[in-house]
Amino acid sequence: MKSDEGRRQAAEQTVRALVQHSHRGPQDLALTIGHPRPTAGPGEYLVRVGAAGVNFADVMQSHGTYGSGPRAPYVAGFEAAGEIVGVGPDVDAALPPGTHVVGTGPGAFAQYMTMPAEGVLPVPAGWSDAAALGLVLNWATALAALKPLGEVRAGDVVLVHAAAGGVGQAAVRLALHYGARVIATASTAKHDTVRALGADEVLDRARPDLAEEIRRRTGGVDLVLESVGRATFPVSLAVTKPFTGRVVVFGAASGDVTLSTHDLVFTHQVQIKGLHIGALATAAPALYRSLLDDLTQLIARGVYPPGTPRVHPLAEGPQVLARLAAGRTRGKHALDPWS
């Protein structure tokens, strides 16, 4: 019969986790008790997760449609904030155990996960773990789309689709900070959320005359932040200024679209740029680090306030993902693996 100490040691080697058992969607995401606790490998931290971020990419992974995503079964989630409790070998200038960090890595929907050390940031002083979610994903994506890729300038007209979502809200705040006029789209029920951010115009993305209305109000936009895909991409192309206008694509929540060279030469002479923040971090690490440095400055200046995600118990993860997939969420959502 095991002693209390033996049971404690055994418990420390296992975790509560949400495991995706198939690629049939969030319905096959299930809470597992006693999943093996990960260990920090070379260049990694072991992190006790305080809060895990929920992202549309998690929905795509659950269907097996996320590029180079994990194959089932796997512990779901990839964004979290929490406390460093272990340091693997080959970590240069390692942060000390006890430091709270935000970053990405496999298996975030669990009590413990590993994170590549080079991609983490300390949680800003005075912020909770949950408040820091979005820093290295949502806000970094919005900033990359607006500045190095979108080349936003004061006076530009910027169209932000899905403006009530995590990236969308960050993009509205940042675009306004850089002096742009912001035209935002969202479902009617979410307009109050977007207006509260200060967007100059908020339109229903489902209205049939959306392109005509945007052109009427703006005469054409300089930059589009496109994350919706099939439902909005034709509008994005139609309202972007020829030749000088930019469309930065970082998602396709409503499905993929097809664009031909003929379209670009004869119909939509616009600049189209693709963005995946994880790929950017790998292919252009200096640029990614500069984005994180800029975000640190934006936090210090009060442009980027602490996040206020809605936090759910870990077991509610499948339901949260299902609502996200159906477009029934707004803002950032998170999971607490300890409740």
Side-chain angles (χ1 to χ4, degrees):
M1 189 171 183
K2 286 186 178 181
S3 65
D4 289 344
E5 178 63 18
R7 283 191 291 271
R8 183 188 66 80
Q9 291 178 354
E12 288 179 349
Q13 300 308 310
T14 61
V15 298
R16 300 171 73 238
L18 281 177
V19 176
Q20 184 72 42
H21 290 282
S22 78
H23 293 294
R24 293 191 293 267
Q27 66 187 33
D28 284 337
L29 186 62
L31 183 65
T32 300
I33 307 298
H35 193 82
R37 173 174 152 171
T39 58
E44 293 181 336
Y45 292 123
L46 177 65
V47 173
R48 184 186 188 274
V49 176
V54 178
N55 297 280
F56 196 83
D58 296 310
V59 176
M60 296 179 67
Q61 287 186 355
S62 75
H63 289 283
T65 58
Y66 192 80
S68 68
R71 308 310 299 172
Y74 62 89
V75 178
F78 61 91
E79 177 200 16
E83 178 187 358
I84 294 174
V85 294
V87 182
D90 303 324
V91 177
D92 295 330
L95 297 169
T99 303
H100 283 252
V101 294
V102 58
T104 61
F109 294 169
Q111 291 171 313
Y112 292 86
M113 67 176 294
T114 59
M115 291 182 184
E118 63 183 11
V120 308
L121 277 182
V123 171
W127 289 26
S128 68
D129 289 338
L133 291 174
L135 175 54
V136 299
L137 282 181
N138 304 104
W139 280 78
T141 296
L143 182 58
L146 284 164
K147 290 295 282 182
L149 275 71
E151 304 176 78
V152 69
R153 295 177 290 271
D156 278 355
V157 179
V158 177
L159 172 60
V160 179
H161 289 302
V167 178
Q169 290 194 31
V172 171
R173 288 182 183 273
L174 287 172
L176 292 169
H177 170 69
Y178 292 122
R181 176 187 174 192
V182 177
I183 312 298
T185 72
S187 61
T188 304
K190 301 176 183 179
H191 282 193
D192 57 340
T193 297
V194 182
R195 288 195 185 96
L197 300 172
D200 297 281
E201 315 255 4
V202 186
L203 301 173
D204 183 358
R205 83 176 198 201
R207 61 184 293 170
D209 64 340
L210 180 59
E212 292 78 5
E213 183 63 16
I214 292 173
R215 283 197 298 262
R216 185 185 70 79
R217 297 188 186 207
T218 67
V221 305
D222 300 287
L223 173 61
V224 180
L225 271 57
E226 173 59 70
S227 62
V228 178
R230 186 179 301 148
T232 59
F233 201 72
V235 172
S236 297
L237 293 176
V239 303
T240 303
K241 292 178 179 178
F243 300 105
T244 62
R246 293 86 66 196
V247 180
V248 179
V249 182
F250 54 91
S254 65
D256 290 330
V257 297
T258 300
L259 184 65
S260 70
T261 53
H262 188 279
D263 293 331
L264 291 173
V265 173
F266 294 104
T267 308
H268 302 296
Q269 299 94 352
V270 300
Q271 303 173 42
I272 299 179
K273 305 181 182 185
L275 170 60
H276 181 289
I277 198 65
L280 185 151
T282 300
L287 176 57
Y288 180 69
R289 178 51 61 177
S290 74
L291 291 171
L292 298 185
D293 291 343
D294 287 347
L295 287 171
T296 299
Q297 293 302 313
L298 290 165
I299 290 170
R301 292 156 60 185
V303 176
Y304 177 177
T308 56
R310 182 177 175 185
V311 182
H312 310 262
L314 186 64
E316 293 182 9
Q319 291 75 36
V320 176
L321 283 177
R323 291 198 294 273
L324 177 62
R328 298 200 305 271
T329 63
R330 67 180 76 187
K332 189 72 174 177
H333 287 249
L335 301 179
D336 178 355
W338 302 92
S339 69

